[in-house]
Structure formats: structure tokens, C-alpha cells
Amino acid sequence: MRKQFGLKLFVIPVFLFLFIPLFIIIVTSFGEKPTIQFPIEGFTLDWYANVFTTGGFLTSFWLSLRISFLATLLALIIGVPAAYALSRYDFSGRKRLKSFFLSPTIIPGVVVGFALFQFIVIRMQIPIFIGLLLGHFLISLPYIIRVVGSSLEQLDMSLEEASWTLGCTRLEAFFKIVLPNITSGIYAAFMLAFINSFNNIPVSQFLTGPGFTALPTNLMGYIEYNYDPTVSALSVLLMLLTIILMIIIEKTLGLASIS
């Protein structure tokens, strides 16, 4: 009983600390005044309309959506085989290679963004869209390798070995045995990498240009000059998008486990 009581004393303040700011954001998105204030005076949906008509938010949203999806998909295509090789093969330099893949999560984001800007934009003069895609791919790849690698470590290797004795090649065993058993890990890795890419600021801030401004960068620029409830409305919509993505992934994982 004492342990449960102590746990409640810890959980409730943490829950309130996380929930109250979100509650304030939701409430202030409906206020009539052109400044963010709590409690609000009046009720309006105009700030939600502003998200779609002002500030270029809609354009930057679609850019961030395309960049994040393509970067995460590319990270999956490269990261899943890489995670398999790192977990199943023992070769010289394996630990160093794994550390190299995971390095973008260790190095500060500003350093990663500035380094990519120097190399991609200044040195290589790669188009902005391709530069953004490469930058977000690099920050998505570690999440794919880490989560998928964890799923592979929990998968009993004797299943693969049994398939080899039955005549399957390593490639056939990978697609018939390994891949179906790590589906949940792949979905979780995709979601984690996608959300991290979509919300990333340092890389998007450095790898930007005319007509190619990601949503987080656009939002930061908007706040600098216009601190109105449009920001709260956009934040609410992004929270809803995240919840929808989580529900979709959860439903997909449920269907995958049943099949």
C-alpha cells in the first residue's frame, strides 16, 4: 500500500506538469484576442483558419510531410538490412560501424545541421530539397537501426538456423522468417523516426531555402514576429496528427500480430 501511495504521489504531479501546458495550449487556440492569453476572452475558430491561409504553414507542412516520409522510408530500406548485419554477423569493426550509424543521436543537433549545411549546401551545392532529404535521412537512420536491432536481438536465431537446414538461403530466411517476426519493431521504428524527422529543428533550420522551408523552421520564424493564437491552433493540429498516427500504427500492429 505504501509503495502504491508513493507511486501515486510521484505520478500525479508529473501528469499534471505534462497535461496543464497542453491544456493551456488547447484553450488559448480558441481565444478571440490577437494575443495568447489564459484564461481566454471570447471564443473563435479564426486562428484555425489562419493555419491554412496565412504564414505559409500549409506549404511548409506538405514539404515536411514529404521530406519526413521519404527520409524515413529510405532509412528503413537501408537501416533494416544494416541492423540485421550488425546483429547477426561478427566482423572486424562491427562496434565502430554501429557507433558510426548511431552518432547523429549523440552529436548535438546544431552541430549536425551546421556540418550538413557546410558539406551539402556550400561544398557540394546540392539542391535544397535533396539536401533536406539527405539531412533527415541521416537523423532518421539511427532510430531505425536501434529499434529494429533491438527486435532482432529478441528474435531466437534458432528459427533462422532451422530454415537453413531445410534448404532456405540466408536471403530467403530473412524474408520468410525474420521479416515477418520483426514487423512490430519496424512499424515502431518508422513511427519514431518519422515523428523525430517531422519535428526536427536544427537540420531543417540550416538546410532551408526559398520555397523550401520546413514546418518547424516556419513556425519558429512566425513566432518571432507574430505571437498570436495561430501558434496554439497549429500546435493543437500537430498533436491531433500525432495521435492519429499513433492510432494507425497501433491498429496496424494489432492486425499484424493477429495475422
Side-chain angles (χ1 to χ4, degrees):
M1 291 292 294
R2 290 182 179 179
K3 289 184 178 179
Q4 293 180 351
F5 181 72
L7 183 62
K8 289 181 179 179
L9 287 179
F10 173 76
V11 171
I12 292 175
V14 172
F15 176 78
L16 291 176
F17 181 77
L18 293 174
F19 178 77
I20 290 176
L22 296 179
F23 175 75
I24 291 175
I25 288 175
I26 294 171
V27 172
T28 56
S29 68
F30 297 104
E32 281 188 340
K33 295 292 184 179
T35 56
I36 297 177
Q37 60 179 33
F38 183 85
I40 61 173
E41 296 180 12
F43 179 89
T44 182
L45 295 175
D46 290 346
W47 306 114
Y48 285 90
N50 281 357
V51 172
F52 298 96
T53 58
T54 62
F57 289 129
L58 197 57
T59 302
S60 60
F61 169 79
W62 287 117
L63 175 65
S64 289
L65 194 64
R66 282 184 295 157
I67 289 292
S68 299
F69 178 78
L70 291 174
T72 307
L73 184 62
L74 184 60
L76 271 180
I77 294 172
I78 295 176
V80 173
Y84 179 79
L86 290 170
S87 64
R88 290 294 189 261
Y89 293 93
D90 188 12
F91 54 89
S92 177
R94 182 169 67 94
K95 291 184 179 180
R96 294 191 189 93
L97 184 61
K98 187 175 182 179
S99 298
F100 173 76
F101 279 132
L102 298 179
S103 61
T105 61
I106 302 171
I107 302 173
V110 174
V111 176
V112 174
F114 182 66
L116 291 173
F117 171 76
Q118 287 287 330
F119 179 73
I120 293 176
V121 178
I122 302 300
R123 182 69 177 175
M124 302 299 294
Q125 297 184 351
I126 295 175
I128 295 297
F129 183 85
I130 303 299
L132 271 170
L133 182 60
L134 292 175
H136 282 257
F137 160 73
L138 288 177
I139 61 175
S140 300
L141 186 61
Y143 294 95
I144 301 295
I145 291 178
R146 180 171 290 176
V147 177
V148 174
S150 178
S151 296
L152 285 166
E153 289 175 0
Q154 296 175 21
L155 180 63
D156 190 356
M157 194 172 177
S158 62
L159 296 174
E160 296 173 68
E161 294 173 346
S163 67
W164 299 340
T165 61
L166 294 174
C168 284
T169 64
R170 280 186 175 271
L171 188 61
E172 289 174 337
F174 175 77
F175 283 103
K176 293 180 180 180
I177 305 298
V178 177
L179 212 54
N181 283 284
I182 61 170
T183 303
S184 59
I186 291 176
Y187 281 124
F190 181 89
M191 181 178 176
L192 183 62
F194 176 84
I195 293 176
N196 178 74
S197 172
F198 190 88
N199 294 323
N200 180 271
I201 293 178
V203 171
S204 300
Q205 185 74 42
F206 281 100
L207 300 176
T208 189
F212 293 98
T213 303
L215 183 60
T217 305
N218 193 11
L219 180 59
M220 295 298 292
Y222 186 87
I223 293 175
E224 187 175 355
Y225 300 101
N226 305 278
Y227 195 64
D228 59 45
T230 303
V231 179
S232 297
L234 179 58
S235 300
V236 172
L237 292 176
L238 290 177
M239 283 191 289
L240 288 175
L241 175 63
T242 303
I243 292 171
I244 291 171
L245 284 174
M246 291 176 66
I247 293 173
I248 292 173
I249 293 296
E250 184 178 355
K251 294 294 183 182
T252 306
L253 290 177
L255 291 174
S257 61
I258 293 174
S259 60

